[in-house]
Amino acid sequence: MLQYMPSNMTIGQLLGILVCHHLRKCNQLFHISCGNFWWLMSHIDTGDIINGSKGQRWKLLQQLGLGKCCNVYKAILLDGDCQAAVKVYKKGLQYEGAQQREQLLLQIVLQKQGLCKQLVEVIDSFQINGHSILVEELLELNLYQIKCLTELKTFSFYMIQMFIKDVLISLNAIHTNGFVHGDLKPCNLMWSAQNGCMKLIDFGLSFHISDEDVCQIQSPSYRAPEVVMYNKGKRDIKLTQAVDLWSLGCLLIWMFTGQKMFQKKPAGPCNNCSLQKRNVENCEYGILAQQMIDDKIAGEPLRSSEMGSACLAFRKLVSRVMTCKGCERLTSQTAQNHPFFSIPFEPSFCDMLLLPTVVIRILNSIDVNETNTHEAIKKELTSRCCKFGKLVKCVLPTEGKGKGIIFMKFEKAVEAITAFIQINGKVLHNRTVITTYHSVRDFDAGIYY
């Protein structure tokens, strides 16, 4: 356990990790036996003002979520214009250990390989009256909430590719440093409008591969077969980063079909794999995954041969992670080079309305044939957008699919969102303006739709 501790860890942090590790080895929770004490729960609540480690004052505006370890609040910095997510952990050594685990993991990744924007950013951490507090960047919707906003309750290949690229980048960042997330699922993936990417959150069940004993990990529908056997007492099984790739496969199926592959956890290795067969294609779970994909495709006839190729690549990607044998799954690094991620998908109009970013597209504002008016209209729209916030860049492509569309990149996502709302539907030179969002990565790469 100690071999991956940073040299600058405080005594308090070290004690918290050691106690948590001891509790894991005992496979027990820290309980008070004399009744249901209300003070074990957080009595810090909405409306309270708490002081950070450097004197910052955070006001808790509203509760965002309630978990087993902590309550999460949306908060605002009273001495600035910053908003954040404040995690208030319950009292108890095991909860303090969960906070220390998350902070330590992210700190190690940051120190060893630099900032990874696909990982949630920690702003501050401190203690208040026995409660561990973690202040993190405020994010938008989680993946489950985003799915509820889609028309068909499934995702397009464009969205799947974009989201899973981000997931693999975040997983690779922690896997490279010897950590396993241990709870990859839709509600632990959240969209950042500011960065224009999906971020991995909640490291309360994370562990290092050098840990001798690991508590129960992964939610039932995303639990790898080897984890099921480990939880049943087969402690000779070595849990590795491959368990996160299994969860990724379950996630891929859910995103594409709208259905969970397992309503509950799998029973363990399938019959074929339990017989130690080496052929990955014979894994019953892999066959089931491909059948679910095929059934979904059969219900939606392909429109082109290109989409057929995309479906084939997607099936192959899923089959490489949905296999009982962890050693035969793709890694978070090798998966990024899979052919599925090299296919140039384009977003639908609905895709570009779904998630906010710092970039907005302004359509139907100019007549492509009246080139003499383009600069004037661009200047007028720029002036209007500047009322909502600071503009970083304005682009009016003269060729390609983006021809005739004005793209505005703002410094802050909240400014872009305000402009998106305020400009949409307005009449400019007898034309009704339409707005959508645009991928930050595509904008920065000069890709316009």
Side-chain angles (χ1 to χ4, degrees):
M1 178 86 177
L2 296 178
Q3 65 181 352
Y4 58 90
M5 297 295 180
S7 58
N8 62 345
M9 176 178 289
T10 65
I11 296 298
Q13 289 175 322
L14 179 57
L15 286 175
I17 297 298
L18 288 175
V19 170
C20 180
H21 186 58
H22 172 71
L23 289 171
R24 281 182 164 191
K25 296 186 73 172
C26 296
N27 196 26
Q28 295 176 343
L29 291 177
F30 181 75
H31 288 291
I32 300 297
S33 59
C34 15
N36 184 21
F37 286 95
W38 63 270
W39 49 267
L40 275 175
M41 300 297 289
S42 173
H43 55 271
I44 299 174
D45 207 348
T46 302
D48 290 346
I49 297 175
I50 58 177
N51 294 324
S53 63
K54 298 179 181 179
Q56 313 97 313
R57 296 188 303 150
W58 295 97
K59 182 174 182 180
L60 307 185
L61 301 178
Q62 69 181 89
Q63 188 176 85
L64 297 177
L66 173 64
K68 294 180 180 179
C69 291
C70 65
N71 294 344
V72 184
Y73 298 89
K74 178 180 179 180
I76 187 170
L77 183 65
L78 292 180
D79 304 318
D81 62 352
C82 176
Q83 292 188 334
V86 174
K87 301 176 74 171
V88 180
Y89 288 79
K90 299 173 185 177
K91 292 182 178 180
L93 292 176
Q94 77 275 21
Y95 303 121
E96 182 179 349
Q99 185 257 24
Q100 295 284 358
R101 210 161 37 244
E102 178 153 345
Q103 181 186 3
L104 177 62
L105 184 153
L106 294 170
Q107 178 185 341
I108 290 175
V109 173
L110 179 63
Q111 289 178 344
K112 290 191 174 182
Q113 69 179 63
L115 180 67
C116 174
K117 70 177 184 178
Q118 284 79 10
L119 293 174
V120 64
E121 181 183 350
V122 174
I123 298 172
D124 196 7
S125 65
F126 47 93
Q127 295 274 329
I128 294 181
N129 298 328
H131 294 282
S132 295
I133 310 292
L134 204 59
V135 182
E136 297 181 335
E137 63 177 314
L138 183 66
L139 300 172
E140 276 69 40
L141 304 172
N142 66 42
L143 191 58
Y144 177 79
Q145 293 168 325
I146 296 170
K147 178 174 175 282
C148 292
L149 296 176
T150 61
E151 183 178 1
L152 299 175
K153 300 299 182 285
T154 58
F155 292 98
S156 66
F157 274 143
Y158 173 84
M159 300 296 273
I160 292 174
Q161 186 189 73
M162 178 176 63
F163 291 157
I164 297 302
K165 276 183 179 179
D166 288 333
V167 176
L168 288 171
I169 291 171
S170 63
L171 287 178
N172 189 52
I174 65 173
H175 289 176
T176 300
N177 289 281
F179 291 101
V180 180
H181 184 269
D183 198 21
L184 182 62
K185 58 184 179 181
C187 64
N188 284 340
L189 293 166
M190 296 198 70
W191 178 254
S192 167
Q194 186 63 41
N195 295 111
C197 69
M198 192 63 69
K199 295 204 175 200
L200 183 61
I201 68 167
D202 195 349
F203 300 85
L205 296 181
S206 299
F207 62 94
H208 194 273
I209 55 174
S210 66
D211 288 350
E212 294 180 1
D213 290 304
V214 178
C215 66
Q216 292 199 9
I217 61 169
Q218 297 187 314
S219 297
S221 297
Y222 300 87
R223 189 171 295 164
E226 63 266 36
V227 174
V228 175
M229 303 307 293
Y230 183 91
N231 290 344
K232 288 182 178 179
K234 294 192 175 183
R235 297 306 168 115
D236 57 324
I237 296 176
K238 179 67 174 175
L239 299 182
T240 69
Q241 291 94 335
V243 303
D244 285 337
L245 274 298
W246 172 274
S247 299
L248 182 78
C250 295
L251 193 65
L252 285 166
I253 291 294
W254 175 80
M255 293 178 73
F256 184 72
T257 68
Q259 303 295 322
K260 290 181 179 179
M261 184 169 173
F262 302 101
Q263 294 303 318
K264 297 181 179 180
K265 62 179 180 291
C270 71
N271 292 328
N272 284 348
C273 292
S274 63
L275 297 175
Q276 301 300 313
K277 292 186 177 182
R278 295 296 300 171
N279 192 344
V280 178
E281 294 180 358
N282 283 335
C283 176
E284 293 178 4
Y285 295 139
I287 294 173
L288 172 61
Q290 294 189 49
Q291 185 59 54
M292 291 182 69
I293 295 172
D294 291 343
D295 290 345
K296 178 65 176 178
I297 294 172
E300 298 179 2
L302 303 180
R303 297 180 179 181
S304 66
S305 59
E306 289 79 10
M307 190 54 67
S309 299
C311 289
L312 180 60
F314 182 74
R315 287 177 82 257
K316 289 182 177 179
L317 171 62
V318 172
S319 69
R320 292 300 311 278
V321 290
M322 296 303 298
T323 174
C324 291
K325 296 183 175 66
C327 61
E328 296 188 7
R329 295 175 202 146
L330 293 173
T331 67
S332 54
Q333 183 174 11
T334 58
Q336 295 180 61
N337 298 320
H338 191 275
F340 175 73
F341 297 108
S342 64
I343 300 175
F345 296 115
E346 290 190 7
S348 67
F349 187 82
C350 291
D351 286 340
M352 303 188 83
L353 291 173
L354 193 59
L355 295 173
T357 71
V358 294
V359 183
I360 65 171
R361 295 192 317 161
I362 303 176
L363 300 88
N364 200 44
S365 61
I366 62 176
D367 185 334
V368 293
N369 297 317
E370 297 180 3
T371 57
N372 60 316
T373 65
H374 290 184
E375 284 303 317
I377 295 175
K378 176 183 173 183
K379 184 177 181 180
E380 182 175 346
L381 281 171
T382 299
S383 177
R384 291 193 182 191
C385 285
C386 285
K387 295 178 181 178
F388 308 114
K390 183 178 179 180
L391 277 178
V392 176
K393 191 176 182 180
C394 176
V395 177
L396 175 57
T398 57
E399 58 184 6
K401 294 184 178 181
K403 183 178 180 180
I405 301 175
I406 297 176
F407 297 79
M408 301 280 190
K409 182 177 182 180
F410 289 79
E411 187 175 75
K412 297 180 180 180
V414 65
E415 299 166 349
I417 294 170
T418 303
F420 170 87
I421 296 171
Q422 295 297 324
I423 294 176
N424 188 51
K426 295 294 188 294
V427 177
L428 179 66
H429 298 285
N430 296 320
R431 302 176 70 90
T432 302
V433 175
I434 300 171
T435 57
T436 75
Y437 294 106
H438 189 75
S439 164
V440 179
R441 278 168 289 196
D442 288 343
F443 180 84
D444 291 342
I447 301 173
Y448 309 108
Y449 304 112

